[in-house]
Amino acid sequence: MALPAEKVAELKQIIHNQLSQGDVQRRIREMLAESMQEEYSSSGHPLGEDEIFSRLKQRGVVDNILHQIQFDGAGSKPATHMRGDHMMERVADKKTNIDPTRRYLYLYIKAGKAFLEHLEDNNAMPGQVASYFTFHVLFRGQRFKSRPVACACEPDIDEGFLLELHKDSAGDAGKMADPTTMLSICDQIHLSLIKTDNTGETTLVSSHFLEWRPVLTSPNSRLSTSLEMKGTGSENKVSAGVIDIQVELFPKTKQTVSNEVLSAQLQLERSRHAEQERLFLVYAKQWWKEYLTIRETHKERLDENGNNRPVCSFVKPLRAGRLLDTAREAARLLLGFGLDAYVCVGTKAKSAVHTWVMTVSTDGLVTFWESLNGHRYIHEALDPNAPPMDKQHRPKYPYRTVGCVFNHQAFFANNQPTENVEVCQFNLRDEARWKSMSHDAIMSVCASGSTPLWPQFPPLSSSSIDPALASNDLEQQLRILVTEHRRDMGLTTLWDDQLSYLLTPSLAAYETERTTGLIPGNEEFQDSIKQAVPDGHTFKGYPIQFSHRNARKAFATCLRSPVCEEIIHCRGDHVRLAVRVRVYPYPESACATWIMFACKYKCIV
């Protein structure tokens, strides 16, 4: 199948990086020098490309480059990701880096079938891929991502993943896991199927938790079965498709676990989990009943009690390692940077339900963080008895009401006479204003390891986006869209490459301000623009930031701005247009995409 353009560009960049390494270049230069010397000193024919490539391969240069390329990977991978239906053959391959003293679990996804929604995708033209599937695997902190597979009724997956049963290296985790130890490992394998369309938009097709321990009952430590992948949301009872899988232990075990023992272990875990949930639900119902009796208006406030899991279990501190440097680079990871952070549940304009993040400093300063765009707002509670404020001095944040706040170990319900954000006090320890849940009750179901049947949080994955390639690609797409748009209006388009380039410092300054809070000086940018715009000409610019790289969606949004529309539709003498794109990648392939449209034209008196 043909890879998407993004993946092709990514692969080219990886190969380029490997070829740029000093050792690789030195070995290539040595081989070429020897070959040229042979050609000069002999009367034989000149060396061709095939012979040069053959000599590079003989010296191990090609194999070394291929060995270094990890194109299919995602995140840190303590185990191995491979293709092939027989694990023993792959493990014997020297390219597979495993520890023979550790126990591994090999998951092989053979093929898919009955993905009926993509029945017509089989009729796609050769070399064209309208959309593609990728499988994401999570097991005990290990993350993997399959190669893209064209969406079809029967997708040809052929992907294998080698998972460590013990990902740690100290204590008992460093020993070979025996059947008894493996029986007690209740972590399930989380399989997520993602669909990516031709615009780059991603959709979660299915999420499945695989119980792998039945392989312990197999005499040959191998189990083959079919999994029905259910849909999501309102279609979570409908089959999205079926995949054929094989699970195999390596090394094989000499003893097996009986089906009766496995069933008893699974039943014991389910019973323990159900009891924990029952006790918490009893407490939660009583807590909610008390909250409703405090004030009649509480019955109309937001309630998440219908969920099967307490909301505190959906957040967890994440250490970003070297992937992020400051809290302002990650509005969704603030706990991991040691801040007193909470998720706020409330409403914004037109009473639309919304969630955002709040941090409380040691001196009581409350800051709101909008995770959709990274904006920060300082909250200062207003006096509800004060006269109405004019529009200019009203709070800048878009939040209207707040019903509750929570993090991974605390939950507080708004107990104030009004839930309007602008007059709320956020001293969460004040029981008169905030009714809290018992910390012990929350930790009984949300503490690490308390409910092993719930999925564990994955580690952060480094970005796979090449910022230079992504920026250039999006910029070229926007140029084409602007040119076509102006052509439809009967306008010609002339681009000023130098002016486009000069916009770069401005975009860098915007991102610096967003991630550090510091406003860098832009004297140099202003001076460069003044020199690039002749006397008697006018310059106009329009910057905007997105969290995606979809050119058409971004262009449509920009046209809704009167300022940007005026630039795109610019008419007059000596009109020159400019556009600059700067993509800033972050973990999990998230990105901050800054775009600036500009124009210069001669003023007509």
Side-chain angles (χ1 to χ4, degrees):
M1 56 158 276
L3 284 176
E6 177 183 346
K7 292 298 180 183
V8 173
E10 179 183 347
L11 181 56
K12 288 181 178 179
Q13 183 63 35
I14 293 174
I15 296 174
H16 172 75
N17 293 341
Q18 292 300 322
L19 290 174
S20 299
Q21 294 182 5
D23 182 64
V24 174
Q25 291 183 346
R26 177 183 60 78
R27 296 171 66 183
I28 292 176
R29 284 196 298 267
E30 290 177 354
M31 191 282 298
L32 289 176
E34 294 177 6
S35 300
M36 293 298 293
Q37 182 64 30
E38 292 178 8
E39 179 182 342
Y40 179 78
S41 60
S42 65
S43 57
H45 64 280
L47 294 177
E49 290 185 7
D50 292 341
E51 189 168 351
I52 292 177
F53 181 79
S54 178
R55 295 196 179 191
L56 287 172
K57 193 171 183 181
Q58 290 174 4
R59 290 172 174 262
V61 177
V62 175
D63 289 340
N64 181 63
I65 295 174
L66 294 176
H67 179 72
Q68 294 296 326
I69 294 175
Q70 301 292 333
F71 182 60
D72 287 328
S76 60
K77 305 196 302 183
T80 303
H81 176 201
M82 67 195 85
R83 297 179 61 186
D85 61 350
H86 201 289
M87 184 265 194
M88 296 299 291
E89 297 175 357
R90 292 291 170 178
V91 168
D93 192 332
K94 294 181 180 179
K95 294 181 181 180
T96 302
N97 183 23
I98 69 167
D99 184 347
T101 66
R102 309 294 290 274
R103 185 82 69 183
Y104 294 87
L105 189 68
Y106 180 63
L107 169 66
Y108 172 58
I109 306 177
K110 299 179 181 179
K113 55 188 177 183
F115 285 86
L116 302 180
E117 183 180 347
H118 303 280
L119 187 61
E120 297 181 357
D121 291 353
N122 293 338
N123 299 325
M125 297 294 293
Q128 294 183 350
V129 179
S131 57
Y132 60 90
F133 286 142
T134 50
F135 276 91
H136 295 252
V137 178
L138 171 64
F139 180 69
R140 311 204 78 195
Q142 302 161 81
R143 296 183 62 179
F144 297 92
K145 176 184 176 182
S146 73
R147 75 191 196 288
V149 177
C151 290
C153 181
E154 297 182 356
D156 181 20
I157 303 168
D158 186 29
E159 200 80 37
F161 309 91
L162 190 61
L163 314 172
E164 285 190 50
L165 284 173
H166 279 306
K167 63 183 180 65
D168 301 316
S169 58
D172 293 337
K175 300 177 181 178
M176 175 76 74
D178 57 24
T180 302
T181 302
M182 290 187 287
L183 186 64
S184 65
I185 299 177
C186 52
D187 303 72
Q188 297 178 331
I189 301 175
H190 188 187
L191 291 169
S192 300
L193 177 58
I194 306 295
K195 174 187 175 182
T196 305
D197 62 21
N198 55 3
T199 65
E201 294 293 321
T202 59
T203 306
L204 176 63
V205 177
S206 180
S207 176
H208 184 88
F209 291 92
L210 171 64
E211 177 56 69
W212 59 272
R213 284 176 289 180
V215 73
L216 300 176
T217 65
S218 174
N220 60 358
S221 299
R222 186 187 304 170
L223 177 68
S224 297
T225 185
S226 296
L227 295 181
E228 183 181 25
M229 305 292 289
K230 298 288 189 179
T232 60
S234 60
E235 299 182 355
N236 61 352
K237 302 297 182 182
V238 181
S239 175
V242 177
I243 59 173
D244 295 326
I245 69 166
Q246 179 177 298
V247 180
E248 186 175 358
L249 284 175
F250 176 80
K252 298 181 183 296
T253 59
K254 296 181 180 180
Q255 62 184 100
T256 61
V257 175
S258 67
N259 290 317
E260 293 75 14
V261 171
L262 177 61
S263 298
Q265 175 70 17
L266 297 178
Q267 181 59 39
L268 177 63
E269 293 171 357
R270 284 192 290 265
S271 299
R272 186 185 301 121
H273 179 66
E275 180 64 13
Q276 288 176 323
E277 284 193 327
R278 186 189 69 81
L279 292 175
F280 180 79
L281 186 59
V282 169
Y283 166 77
K285 286 183 176 180
Q286 180 61 31
W287 181 91
W288 182 248
K289 183 177 180 181
E290 294 173 358
Y291 179 69
L292 292 180
T293 59
I294 295 176
R295 193 173 287 108
E296 187 68 23
T297 57
H298 287 185
K299 296 180 180 180
E300 302 174 359
R301 293 189 177 178
L302 295 176
D303 172 28
E304 65 83 32
N305 224 23
N307 293 336
N308 294 325
R309 292 173 55 186
V311 291
C312 298
S313 67
F314 289 97
V315 293
K316 177 187 177 183
L318 288 175
R319 294 184 61 179
R322 299 183 184 277
L323 300 180
L324 294 169
D325 296 323
T326 67
R328 298 194 183 193
E329 291 182 355
R332 306 178 188 179
L333 309 166
L334 302 179
L335 287 169
F337 283 96
L339 300 183
D340 188 19
Y342 302 86
V343 176
C344 297
V345 181
T347 63
K348 56 180 182 178
K350 299 181 180 179
S351 299
V353 177
H354 189 66
T355 59
W356 65 98
V357 176
M358 173 187 74
T359 56
V360 183
S361 68
T362 54
D363 58 2
L365 179 66
V366 174
T367 305
F368 294 147
W369 306 67
E370 179 51 63
S371 58
L372 295 179
N373 52 32
H375 288 164
R376 298 171 63 255
Y377 309 96
I378 302 300
H379 172 71
E380 295 181 2
L382 304 179
D383 183 358
N385 298 318
M389 301 180 67
D390 57 64
K391 186 176 181 180
Q392 181 180 356
H393 294 89
R394 292 187 65 84
K396 304 299 183 182
Y397 49 76
Y399 317 120
R400 300 289 297 277
T401 66
V402 56
C404 64
V405 301
F406 65 90
N407 60 20
H408 61 300
Q409 56 187 10
F411 183 93
F412 300 93
N414 192 346
N415 198 26
Q416 300 173 66
T418 176
E419 58 181 349
N420 290 337
V421 175
E422 57 186 24
V423 298
C424 276
Q425 300 284 342
F426 285 92
N427 180 6
L428 302 179
R429 310 306 167 186
D430 186 349
E431 285 285 348
R433 290 188 169 94
W434 296 93
K435 180 174 174 58
S436 63
M437 271 192 157
S438 165
H439 173 77
D440 293 337
I442 292 175
M443 299 309 291
S444 69
V445 292
C446 296
S448 178
S450 60
T451 50
L453 297 184
W454 290 349
Q456 298 299 309
F457 282 81
L460 287 178
S461 170
S462 58
S463 177
S464 61
I465 299 174
D466 182 283
L469 292 175
S471 301
N472 184 69
D473 181 61
L474 180 55
E475 189 172 302
Q476 295 304 317
Q477 292 184 54
L478 289 174
R479 283 198 175 200
I480 294 174
L481 291 173
V482 171
T483 301
E484 293 177 346
H485 181 78
R486 287 175 59 85
R487 183 187 302 125
D488 293 340
M489 298 180 63
L491 300 174
T492 58
T493 304
L494 295 176
W495 293 100
D496 189 323
D497 293 337
Q498 176 64 11
L499 182 60
S500 297
Y501 176 73
L502 295 179
L503 302 178
T504 306
S506 179
L507 300 184
Y510 287 127
E511 182 64 11
T512 299
E513 178 183 1
R514 189 66 59 84
T515 57
T516 67
L518 302 176
I519 303 177
N522 63 348
E523 294 82 4
E524 295 85 359
F525 168 70
Q526 293 179 356
D527 187 62
S528 66
I529 294 299
K530 289 178 181 178
Q531 296 192 50
V533 178
D535 292 339
H537 285 66
T538 298
F539 170 83
K540 292 182 179 180
Y542 172 76
I544 189 172
Q545 187 253 318
F546 298 95
S547 58
H548 61 81
R549 292 176 291 137
N550 188 311
R552 291 190 178 275
K553 183 189 297 186
F555 185 58
T557 302
C558 291
L559 283 178
R560 288 197 287 269
S561 166
V563 177
C564 187
E565 183 184 33
E566 185 177 350
I567 293 174
I568 300 299
H569 296 170
C570 184
R571 302 168 182 261
D573 290 341
H574 304 287
V575 174
R576 297 293 184 272
L577 296 180
V579 62
R580 193 63 171 173
V581 175
R582 184 67 168 87
V583 176
Y584 294 89
Y586 290 100
E588 300 298 327
S589 294
C591 64
T593 302
W594 283 97
I595 301 174
M596 188 170 188
F597 288 103
C599 68
K600 65 178 182 180
Y601 58 93
K602 186 175 182 180
C603 300
I604 301 177
V605 181

